[in-house]
Amino acid sequence: MSASILPRGASRLACAVSLLLASALASAQLATRPPVDPLITPDASGWLQTHAPNHRIDLHNPFFQSLGSNGRSCNSCHRQGEGWTISAAEVQHRFDVTRGLDPIFALVDGADSPRDDISTLAAREKAFSMLTSRGVIRVGLPMPANAEFTLVAVDDPYGYASAAELSLFRRPLPATNLIWDSAVMWDGRETFAPFQPPMDAGLDMEDIRSSLSSQALHAILGHEQATVTPDQKTLDAIVDFESHLFTAQVFDRAAGILNEGGGMGGANILAQQRFWIGINDALGNDPTLEPFDANVMQLFDDWRNPRAMSSLDPHARARAAIARGEQLFDSMPINIRGVAGLNDVTGQSVIRGTCGTCHDSPNIGNHSVGAPLNIGIADGSRRTPDMPLYTLRNNSTGETVQTTDPGLAMLTGKWADIGKFKGPNLRGLAARAPYFHNGSAATLNDVVNFYDTRFNIGMTDQQKSDLVAFLSAL
Ligand code: HEC
Ligand code: HEC
C-alpha cells in the first residue's frame, strides 16, 4: 500500500494536501490552463508542479544570477518549466526568439565544437544543432591517464574531438529531487563517495551536500566561465535552494488531477517520500535488510480497481491506463542480459527482473545505490550521424569497442566501465524530453520501444501506451 512507504501520518497529510489542491485546481482545470500558481507550469501532457519552501521560487538565489563571464546562470540550463533541466523544444524556441543569442548559446559547451563560427544567424543555426535538436551540452573530458584502453579512432562530425578532449553530448540532469541522488552527474563524477562497482554505498546526506557544492563550483567555473572562484556562501545558497526543490507531474490532460481519488502524484506528496541510500535495493544492498519489494511504484494503486471509480468519471479510462502502466513497470518480466554493472557483477547471465530492478527507489525511480550500468545507449551500434564515434582498444587483449560516450570509464580508465551511466530519477518526465544521457529517445514512446527491443520483451501496443501513460504521469 502506498501509505507503507511514506512516513507515518504522511498519507493523511497527503490527502489533505490533495483535497486542497483539488479544489484550487478544479476551476482552472475547466479552462485547461494551469492555475495562476508560480509552482505549476504547463508541459507536454499536462501540468508540472514544483514544491519549494514557503511556496515560492526564490528568484534572488544565486542559482538565477550570472556568476561568470558569459551571462549564463544555472537557470540557463535548469529551468522550472522543463523539470529543472531543458527540453530540446524549449531550447529551439529560445534560439528562434533570440536569434541564437541567449547566453545558453555559448561556444564553450553549447556549440557542437568550440571552434565553430557563430558570427551569423545561419552559422549559429549550424553551430548549435545538437543543443537545439537534442537539448544536449558538450561535456569535454580528456582521455584518462593510465587507462586500460587507447583511443584508436575518432569520427567527430564536428572535427574537434581528440584524446585531449572527447566531446560527450549529454543532457543536463534535473536540478530538483536531488536529496535522493545516489550519484551526482551521469557518470557520477561529482559524487563525493566513489561511484564504482560493485554497488558502492553511494552518498549519505552529508556527502550529497559536498557533492552538490563541488558540482556547483565546477558549473560556475565551467558552464558559466567564471574567472573568479565563487565563495562558499554562494555555493551553500545554491545547494540549499536546489536541494529543497521537488518536482512531479500534478495534472494530466486525460486523467485529470493526479493526487485525487487515491492517486499519489504531484510534488507535495513526493516531497514526503521516504528514502535512504540503499532503500529497496534489488540486489540486497539495503542496509536495513528489508527485502526488495518489486512494487517500486505505488502512486496509482487505488486506480487499479476500475470499480472504485464511477463510470461517469470522465477520467476513469485514462486513470485505469496509468494504473496498468504502473503495474507493468512493477511486474512486467524483463530478461536482463548483457548489462555491464549488473550481469557481470552478480555473475548471472540472465536476471529475470522488471523496470524496477534498476529503477528501485520507491516512487522516485533512480537506483537507490550508486549503480553505474551499461544498458547500451552509447553503443556504437546505436550511433546516429550527428554523434561523434570513438573507437577504443583494450591495451591487454587488443579487443576494440565503438562508443559515443565511454561514460564512467572516462573517470576510472577501466575497460569494464565503458558505457556505464547512472539510472536517473524518473519524476517529472513529461516536461523534459528528450531522454537518456544523450537525448537519443525523442519521446517516452521511444524510451519504451528502446527497452522492448533491447531486452526482447515483446510488448503489445496496448502495454506500450499504458506504460507511456504512466511515465507521463510521474
Ligand atoms: C550550459 C548548461 C548548464 C549550466 C549553465 C549549468 N548546468 Fe548543471 N548540468 C548540465 C549538464 C550537461 C549536466 C549533466 C552533465 C554530466 O552528467 O556529465 C548537469 C548536471 C547538473 C547536476 C547533477 C544532477 C544529478 O542528479 O546528478 C546538478 C545538481 C546541476 N547540474 C546543477 C547546476 C547548478 C547549481 C548550476 C549553476 C551553478 C548549473 N548546474 C549550471 C548543464 C548545465
Ligand atoms: C538493466 C537496468 C535497467 C532496466 C531493466 C530499465 N532501466 Fe531505465 N534506465 C537505466 C539506466 C542505466 C538509464 C540511463 C541510461 C543512459 O542514459 O545511458 C535509464 C534511463 C531511463 C529513462 C530515461 C530518464 C531520463 O531522464 O532521461 C527512462 C524514462 C527509463 N529508464 C524508464 C525505464 C522503464 C519504463 C523500464 C522498463 C521497461 C526501464 N527503464 C528498465 C537502467 C534500466
Side-chain angles (χ1 to χ4, degrees):
M1 275 290 95
S2 323
S4 68
I5 38 117
L6 289 166
R8 214 171 308 172
S11 63
R12 227 178 318 138
L13 182 57
C15 289
V17 166
S18 66
L19 271 181
L20 271 178
L21 188 71
S23 55
L25 297 186
S27 51
Q29 185 188 345
L30 295 173
T32 68
R33 271 217 322 266
V36 185
D37 178 336
L39 297 180
I40 293 185
T41 47
D43 66 23
S45 59
W47 308 338
L48 184 75
Q49 182 183 40
T50 289
H51 173 99
N54 305 319
H55 202 84
R56 58 186 275 273
I57 304 291
D58 176 13
L59 298 172
H60 297 295
N61 188 277
F63 188 93
F64 297 94
Q65 290 159 19
S66 162
L67 301 168
S69 62
N70 58 15
R72 285 175 170 173
S73 69
C74 308
N75 190 53
S76 301
C77 301
H78 298 281
R79 297 167 92 87
Q80 180 188 356
E82 281 65 49
W84 298 97
T85 167
I86 47 178
S87 68
E90 187 279 328
V91 173
Q92 178 67 61
H93 178 72
R94 223 187 306 174
F95 186 98
D96 295 342
V97 170
T98 65
R99 300 169 58 82
L101 295 173
D102 180 274
I104 196 176
F105 304 109
L107 264 183
V108 59
D109 59 8
D112 301 342
S113 154
R115 293 202 197 105
D116 279 342
D117 172 17
I118 53 167
S119 60
T120 63
L121 177 61
R124 289 193 291 278
E125 259 160 15
K126 186 159 174 285
F128 297 107
S129 65
M130 288 295 275
L131 183 50
T132 51
S133 64
R134 287 176 181 246
V136 286
I137 292 293
R138 196 186 61 86
V139 176
L141 292 177
M143 282 291 287
N146 309 317
E148 293 172 0
F149 49 87
T150 307
L151 179 68
V152 291
V154 174
D155 174 4
D156 177 6
Y158 315 109
Y160 177 75
S162 71
E165 186 176 328
L166 264 53
S167 288
L168 309 169
F169 289 96
R170 295 185 185 166
R171 297 272 297 129
L173 281 154
T176 185
N177 300 335
L178 289 169
I179 59 165
W180 304 306
D181 263 10
S182 52
V184 178
M185 310 305 253
W186 283 106
D187 52 11
R189 71 184 177 286
E190 294 287 4
T191 310
F192 196 67
F195 174 60
Q196 280 175 41
M199 310 302 180
D200 277 321
L203 303 171
D204 63 24
M205 286 301 170
E206 283 301 307
D207 295 333
I208 186 88
R209 276 199 75 87
S210 321
S211 302
L212 291 174
S213 179
S214 158
Q215 191 285 329
L217 171 66
H218 293 141
I220 293 166
L221 296 174
H223 301 306
E224 299 192 34
Q225 295 180 287
T227 48
V228 183
T229 305
D231 55 28
Q232 192 58 43
K233 218 177 113 217
T234 305
L235 300 177
D236 287 346
I238 291 176
V239 173
D240 269 340
F241 171 77
E242 65 185 3
S243 54
H244 286 91
L245 299 177
F246 303 96
T247 304
Q249 195 75 352
V250 71
F251 171 81
D252 181 275
R253 271 199 291 276
I257 293 167
L258 293 168
N259 51 11
E260 202 183 64
M264 305 279 279
N268 293 339
I269 295 177
L270 174 60
Q272 304 165 47
Q273 179 60 46
R274 200 168 74 134
F275 176 84
W276 54 81
I277 292 293
I279 188 171
N280 199 40
D281 183 56
L283 299 175
N285 291 299
D286 188 336
T288 67
L289 305 178
E290 276 181 31
F292 172 65
D293 178 356
N295 288 318
V296 170
M297 295 292 186
Q298 304 190 4
L299 298 167
F300 304 111
D301 293 18
D302 287 2
W303 293 356
R304 283 183 192 179
N305 178 1
R307 269 165 307 176
M309 254 175 287
S310 151
S311 56
L312 296 173
D313 184 339
H315 302 307
R317 283 169 66 99
R319 288 186 177 178
I322 289 174
R324 285 194 304 269
E326 181 176 68
Q327 223 163 356
L328 288 168
F329 188 97
D330 289 342
S331 64
M332 178 178 66
I334 302 179
N335 291 320
I336 302 170
R337 291 174 211 267
V339 173
L342 204 58
N343 297 93
D344 49 352
V345 168
T346 60
Q348 291 174 259
S349 62
V350 184
I351 295 175
R352 210 170 152 74
T354 60
C355 302
T357 307
C358 303
H359 298 280
D360 61 11
S361 298
N363 296 331
I364 303 169
N366 61 329
H367 206 117
S368 72
V369 291
L373 303 178
N374 179 357
I375 60 169
I377 302 295
D379 273 12
S381 62
R382 300 182 51 79
R383 185 251 186 141
T384 46
D386 57 345
M387 296 286 296
L389 183 69
Y390 304 104
T391 307
L392 306 173
R393 189 174 55 219
N394 185 313
N395 293 340
S396 39
T397 66
E399 195 187 336
T400 62
V401 81
Q402 292 197 310
T403 179
T404 52
D405 190 333
L408 179 64
M410 291 300 284
L411 311 183
T412 63
K414 292 202 175 116
W415 181 253
D417 289 343
I418 293 172
K420 286 186 184 170
F421 297 89
K422 74 163 170 177
N425 190 301
L426 299 181
R427 301 305 298 267
L429 288 166
R432 54 179 165 97
Y435 307 98
F436 294 128
H437 71 267
N438 56 9
S440 57
T443 62
L444 288 169
N445 212 33
D446 292 345
V447 168
V448 169
N449 281 325
F450 163 79
Y451 283 110
D452 189 46
T453 314
R454 168 67 181 79
F455 296 111
N456 270 310
I457 306 176
M459 296 176 73
T460 64
D461 287 348
Q462 175 76 59
Q463 287 177 315
K464 287 181 185 176
S465 80
D466 289 347
L467 198 47
V468 169
F470 166 65
L471 295 172
S472 307
L474 284 174

